[in-house]
Amino acid sequence: MTAMGFVIPGDIERPTGGYTYDRRVLALLPQFGVAPRHVVLPGSFPFPSAADLDATERTLAELPDDMVLLIDGLAFGAMPAELVARIRQPIVALVHHPLFLETGLSHDHQRPLHLTEKSALTFVKAVIAVSPSTTATLVDEFSVPHEQITMANPGTDKAPRAVGTGAPLQLLSVGSIVPRKAYDVLVRALAAVPGDWRLTIAGPAERNSEAYAALTQALAQTGLGPKVRLVGALARDELDKLYAAADIFVLASLHEGFGMVLAEAMARGLPIVCTTGGAAAETAPDDAAIKVPPGDVAALGAAIASVAGDAGLRKRMGEASWAAGQHLPRWEDTARIIADVVKSIARQSS
């Protein structure tokens, strides 16, 4: 077994796509010859204090020199170059979503994150990217050599096909209420959608007060409050029930590193309306999804209205979504790819 430190900031049980990815890979790596040690860093990343950076350096210094470190990009992209240069172990960076692309950051925050992540990536032995979009960003924005990057798409569990509800039509959107998910845009778009429908938003509401305020303001201004449910973060079985009862999956994100919830919707055969932000356009095939430019309220509303108002279209899109969902990678595939990279770096470094 190859020893590996999986370096992750904060609480790994948080209900986000990135942490789900980390949890699933951490659990499966031993099947593929890698013995991972979960190394916990402070939860303040990607904006660590000086004290947290000192604690991070001490934590990593205590690990064996020959242990490959797989460092989650939420932390690694925010580590100053001088700290990374002092890390003795071989590093593999796991990049879900380049930090400087997070929606809502000011230029004063974006610029330092871009420079910090670019500098940190010069010290790695390899990079794991979660999508073609993230891979392209690593090459174009950070000048990472393409041959240094391995893509490991998030896995998807097999799931029963959604049965839907139909009356009222059930729309579902899943993800944390943060600026990048653009739920306020989604609500304003729905103001133009006629008919008897309901929207359920499943995801933590406490992560960003400004995004939550924008959403509640949009609900108040459009008068759609009675037709929209905010159910917060749900346990897996409760979320599965929402997927099963849904008729349409909607995602208004301004940017996605992969779009794991789109894959979950496809695994259940749901017709999809989403944006072309980041990897979202790549994840869902064109015959399963109507895709619109991110932030375009009118286009998003028109797309949802067309799917909501045409049962035949929903059926055709659902068939295409189900067919594509059966060929998505599984979590075992993801873990195997990462294990192969880690073992290769361990051999090269021995």
Side-chain angles (χ1 to χ4, degrees):
M1 297 284 280
T2 300
M4 185 200 86
F6 199 164
V7 184
I8 305 168
D11 181 6
I12 195 173
E13 296 301 325
R14 289 180 67 178
T16 69
Y19 282 112
T20 297
Y21 187 109
D22 292 354
R23 287 194 303 273
R24 298 300 296 268
V25 169
L26 186 66
L28 288 168
L29 281 173
Q31 294 184 22
F32 304 103
V34 171
R37 180 193 300 186
H38 179 195
V39 181
V40 183
L41 296 187
S44 57
F45 283 98
F47 302 108
S49 67
D52 287 338
L53 288 173
D54 287 343
T56 293
E57 186 162 7
R58 289 195 300 273
T59 296
L60 299 182
E62 292 170 356
L63 300 173
D65 288 2
D66 60 351
M67 174 181 278
V68 177
L69 301 184
L70 177 63
I71 308 181
D72 187 283
L74 184 63
F76 188 67
M79 291 182 184
E82 56 270 22
L83 186 159
V84 180
R86 291 193 292 269
I87 296 175
R88 303 184 308 275
Q89 300 89 346
I91 300 168
V92 178
L94 170 59
V95 183
H96 302 280
H97 173 73
L99 298 178
F100 81 101
L101 291 177
E102 187 64 43
T103 303
L105 293 177
S106 67
H107 177 75
D108 289 344
H109 278 131
Q110 267 192 331
R111 177 73 175 160
L113 282 173
H114 185 279
L115 293 174
T116 301
E117 195 159 12
K118 185 173 184 177
S119 297
L121 286 166
T122 64
F123 293 94
V124 303
K125 298 292 186 182
V127 182
I128 303 293
V130 303
S131 70
S133 175
T134 298
T135 298
T137 301
L138 288 165
V139 173
D140 297 341
E141 294 285 347
F142 298 125
S143 303
V144 178
H146 204 287
E147 60 272 16
Q148 202 173 32
I149 304 170
T150 299
M151 192 168 65
N153 289 338
T156 306
D157 294 315
K158 281 191 174 294
R161 189 160 183 177
V163 295
T165 301
L169 205 67
Q170 296 296 319
L171 281 57
L172 175 63
S173 194
V174 178
S176 301
I177 299 176
V178 295
R180 181 165 52 88
K181 299 298 183 180
Y183 285 117
D184 57 324
V185 172
L186 175 57
V187 168
R188 296 187 190 283
L190 286 169
V193 178
D196 190 14
W197 55 263
R198 300 291 185 273
L199 169 68
T200 300
I201 296 174
E206 70 284 350
R207 287 187 57 200
N208 188 286
S209 59
E210 291 181 5
Y212 184 77
L215 171 57
T216 54
Q217 182 181 47
L219 289 169
Q221 290 176 344
T222 59
L224 292 179
K227 300 182 75 169
V228 178
R229 286 195 307 154
L230 310 181
V231 297
L234 297 178
R236 184 72 254 177
D237 60 337
E238 292 300 316
L239 187 56
D240 287 342
K241 292 176 184 177
L242 287 182
Y243 275 114
D247 296 291
I248 304 171
F249 190 85
V250 293
L251 190 70
S253 287
L254 303 179
H255 187 93
E256 287 289 336
F258 177 75
M260 287 170 56
V261 293
L262 294 175
E264 290 188 352
M266 289 159 56
R268 292 163 172 82
L270 285 170
I272 294 167
V273 177
C274 65
T275 71
T276 56
E282 304 163 349
T283 303
D286 291 344
D287 53 357
I290 296 180
K291 307 167 191 178
V292 302
D296 191 329
V297 172
L300 183 61
I304 296 172
S306 68
V307 180
D310 189 335
L313 177 60
R314 290 198 302 277
K315 186 175 188 301
R316 293 191 299 274
M317 292 175 65
E319 293 289 350
S321 179
W322 175 255
Q326 305 318 296
H327 300 288
L328 290 167
R330 303 303 172 194
W331 284 109
E332 288 80 5
D333 301 317
T334 310
R336 182 185 298 108
I337 292 168
I338 293 174
D340 287 346
V341 172
V342 169
K343 289 185 288 187
S344 175
I345 297 302
R347 287 193 297 270
Q348 294 172 26
S349 303
S350 62

